[in-house]
Amino acid sequence: MNDFDGKVAIVTGATTGIGEGIAEELCQRGATVIITGRRLASVEQTARRMDPTGQHVIPMESDVRDHLSVKALVDNTVEKFGGLHMLVNNAGITGPHNVNICNYSIDDWNDVINTDLSGTFFGLKYGIPAILRSGGGAIVNLSSSNGIVGIPGIAPYTAAKHGVLGLTRSAALEFADKGIRINAVGPGYVETPHMQALPVEAREWMASTHPMKRMATRAEVAKTVAFLLSDESSFTTGAYYAIDGGYTAQ
């Protein structure tokens, strides 16, 4: 399927994990994909692995915590490739685990909120005008199962992912009649390289929290994101798609 031929996409935080899987899916469907991360060497390594030709996956350094860095990312993309049609605000961190609100440090709170929530806002702020100038397109924001439920011990992450849904819905309404669709996805636990490095007992517990008794694959998340970016979801905006094996249906 080459339904993204001629389209330019940005996927933030795509050096590994879910972002890498999304970028790979978009590339396979014909898009030119700009992948980003805070460390250019890591982004370049991922780009070479994904696309040895260097023609379809383009590495760019960007720190989503810095609005000027995000603006530069969008401006450079438009300058080099003539436009922007798709944006995936994927970059995110969970922060420390098993820490209650009273003990959570201010620095850790700021790091999670600035990355997960402000980073998504900056992507929308600078990405939407570029997509409008390119004739319209679609955006997918990465929320989480934590975006609609609470989990103790990671309050900043939970708050940020709830906030991502608020941004998604507000932006979707603001631009619904202007040619941009904006949706969010909410993965549960996903079988990423980071997860695979955890002890077997931890992975088994994570899988057991899903009614389907397994984690999602990166491909399952990526295909849902690609669907929401594609014309197959042309009447869908402001939506939240759970990819959690039934976790939030319990």
Side-chain angles (χ1 to χ4, degrees), residues 74-130:
V74 173
D75 289 346
N76 290 339
T77 297
V78 172
E79 180 181 351
K80 292 181 179 180
F81 300 100
L84 177 65
H85 309 97
M86 299 181 288
L87 169 63
V88 181
N89 287 308
N90 167 78
I93 60 173
T94 57
H97 288 68
N98 300 316
V99 181
N100 71 43
I101 290 171
C102 298
N103 295 328
Y104 220 97
S105 77
I106 299 301
D107 286 344
D108 286 334
W109 164 269
N110 287 335
D111 199 24
V112 173
I113 296 300
N114 290 340
T115 303
D116 296 12
L117 185 55
S118 295
T120 299
F121 168 72
F122 298 149
L124 294 170
K125 177 177 175 61
Y126 297 114
I128 286 172

Side-chain angles (χ1 to χ4, degrees), residues 19 25 47 74 77 82 87 105 120 133-134 137 149 183 186 209 244:
E25 176 72 16
V74 173
T77 297
L87 169 63
S105 77
T120 299
R133 291 193 299 268
S134 303
V149 300
N183 295 289
T209 66
D244 63 9

Side-chain angles (χ1 to χ4, degrees), residues 190-204:
V190 181
E191 193 74 62
T192 64
H194 173 73
M195 290 295 194
Q196 291 167 357
L198 294 176
V200 172
E201 296 79 9
R203 294 173 57 204
E204 289 177 345

Side-chain angles (χ1 to χ4, degrees), residues 117-118 120-121 124 141 162-172 182:
L117 185 55
S118 295
T120 299
F121 168 72
L124 294 170
N141 298 323
H162 274 69
V164 167
L165 286 187
L167 283 174
T168 299
R169 289 165 175 156
S170 293
I182 304 167

